[in-house]
Amino acid sequence: MTQDLPGSEPATLFVVATPIGNLGDISTRALEVLATVAVVAAEDTRHTRALLSRFGISAVLVSLHDHNERRQVPALITRLQQGQDIALVSDAGTPLISDPGYRLVSEARANGAVVKSVPGPSALTAALSVAGLPTDRFVFEGFLPPKTSSRRSRLSALALEPRTLVFFESPRRIMATLADLADSFGAGRRVAIARELTKHFETVVCGSIEQVASILLSDESQRRGELVLIVAGNDDPIASTAIDKEFLLEVLGEVLSPRSASRVAARLTGGGKNDYYRKLLARAGKDGDRSA
Ligand code: SAM
């Protein structure tokens, strides 16, 4: 499978999925590829070395993560041009899905290498497959911004989205995210939290945002480990009472004084008049800074 003869055929970059918890999920083809390529580009070489040694594979490993990808890609492209096949893996799941590798794949293609997928586990598809929410159309939103204000803006921009939404989320932030979701989407929207998939303590908690938040609040173990948050799409966006509050405030602030705009926004959304007033003043301050 490996192209040992430089120049005989374009070399191949294999994008290889690895287990997200259960080692039994590695595919026969993934093992074959990992055992025969010249180099394995890995997000964390120690982690991948441990994984490979479980399967009796010793490989040449090169580190490729978010902070060195730009620097590492040229040398990997040179290897491909010399006819060496490369496997790209991340710590778990499918590379490039909220994981490094995009630049390498893009450059490999641009430089005439063959790029092949060796598909397998991904937390994204595993979670969708067990959540019990519609999967005929979905949007993957990756990780929400950790900063509260940015997270809220992102969520309010998504409140009318009719497709099922999938987020990766950290257990530390899940309660705050559920609270923000309830604000933007309404507490009755259906969600599922798929946790520790393929591992010993795998669970899927489903229900309205309100129900799921109360289950997580009362059971600390449900806030541990790795999790995927799946949110039902808005099934009636036109009749929806969900309003992009930030946008509404911005528009009102353009035509009314901060005091009137905050009063109207509070009437329309049920939000806090004083919060809105402070936001408008802060925004006016920022704009002032910018134009100064
Ligand atoms: N590329 C990976 C994939 O395809 O699964 C995802 C990488 S992303 C950096 C890691 C996130 O995936 C975690 O923070 C969590 O949200 C989710 N995740 C990974 N493994 C998981 C598991 N076993 N159960 C639930 N979620 C998981």
Side-chain angles (χ1 to χ4, degrees), residues 62-65 68-77:
V62 169
S63 142
L64 187 89
H65 50 67
N68 72 1
E69 187 168 358
R70 219 179 270 276
R71 206 168 59 239
Q72 294 288 71
V73 164
L76 289 166
I77 297 298

Side-chain angles (χ1 to χ4, degrees), residues 30-61:
L31 291 176
E32 273 170 21
V33 167
L34 291 166
T36 52
V37 287
V39 175
V40 176
E43 186 180 6
D44 177 339
T45 51
R46 275 192 310 181
H47 178 97
T48 299
R49 195 176 303 285
L51 174 76
L52 295 183
S53 74
R54 298 288 292 267
F55 295 100
I57 296 172
S58 64
V60 176
L61 290 165

